[in-house]
Amino acid sequence: KNLLVVAFLEAYAAFSEDELGLQVSKRKWLEETAANEMNIKEKDPNRYQWLIASRADELVGLMVLDIGCDGIHHACPTDATIRQLAILPKFQRQRLGLAQEFGLQVLRHYPSICRLKASTRCQNQAAQYLLKKFGFHLLPEDNPEFPARHYLTYVRDLTVP
């Protein structure tokens, strides 16, 4: 849990509540999000996986995945949904190949996964930029878990380089 809280607090430090599309304080949101991620991982540790990127034994980023879930229809063995993604500020915009590294980790650990999905708040321009940079494309379909007027859903096909 501490790793998740530290990663979130550092990764989101530069962004305001408005930029993230939040209705509560950023700290409260991050603490609630970390607690929620810990709870769901404890309930189903095989489904919810954490991938870590590091350089020289230093944490660079963290990705929390929902394996076998397409984010919309819930049961899809070839899909995974990114629940959380945090890159620490000093490693952001450094062209370190984190998208490729996380993608390779997904393929190495979960070879049946062909697509990654991620939803983000419409106001969270930073996340949208990062997802596009990582090769994600906006999905036109609505995600019932995340209302379209507040969230956008992106997808990346891992079978395409």
Side-chain angles (χ1 to χ4, degrees):
K1 180 180 178 183
N2 289 339
L3 175 65
L4 184 62
V5 172
V6 167
F8 279 3
L9 288 174
E10 285 196 37
Y12 289 103
F15 302 104
S16 71
E17 280 85 357
D18 286 342
E19 288 174 309
L20 294 171
L22 300 176
Q23 303 301 316
V24 297
S25 77
K26 182 171 40 174
R27 179 142 191 108
K28 179 177 172 70
W29 173 70
L30 292 171
E31 289 172 355
E32 289 173 354
T33 299
N36 183 51
E37 293 301 336
M38 289 300 301
N39 288 336
I40 65 171
K41 180 155 180 58
E42 288 172 10
K43 288 179 184 173
D44 195 345
N46 293 321
R47 180 173 165 184
Y48 299 100
Q49 299 294 315
W50 295 14
L51 302 179
I52 297 169
S54 61
R55 298 290 185 274
D57 295 328
E58 185 175 5
L59 176 68
V60 172
L62 173 70
M63 179 186 286
V64 179
L65 288 177
D66 184 349
I67 303 297
C69 175
D70 70 358
I72 296 175
H73 302 106
H74 299 293
C76 186
T78 60
D79 286 12
T81 297
I82 299 172
R83 294 189 51 80
Q84 304 295 336
L85 175 63
I87 307 297
L88 300 184
K90 70 180 183 179
F91 297 106
Q92 293 174 3
R93 298 174 188 85
Q94 298 295 315
R95 298 184 181 269
L96 295 174
L98 295 175
Q100 182 178 9
E101 181 175 335
F102 278 128
L104 289 174
Q105 283 190 49
V106 170
L107 291 172
R108 184 174 43 245
H109 296 295
Y110 313 101
S112 65
I113 300 299
C114 298
R115 290 189 325 165
L116 284 176
K117 287 189 179 181
S119 293
T120 188
R121 288 179 177 80
C122 292
Q123 293 176 301
N124 189 342
Q125 297 298 316
Q128 291 175 48
Y129 172 79
L130 185 64
L131 288 169
K132 289 175 187 173
K133 180 180 171 185
F134 282 7
F136 283 75
H137 302 283
L138 187 61
L139 262 184
E141 60 190 275
D142 194 20
N143 183 336
E145 189 174 350
F146 301 107
R149 68 177 195 271
H150 297 293
Y151 290 88
L152 298 170
T153 299
Y154 288 82
V155 66
R156 176 162 184 217
D157 184 343
L158 295 178
T159 64
V160 178

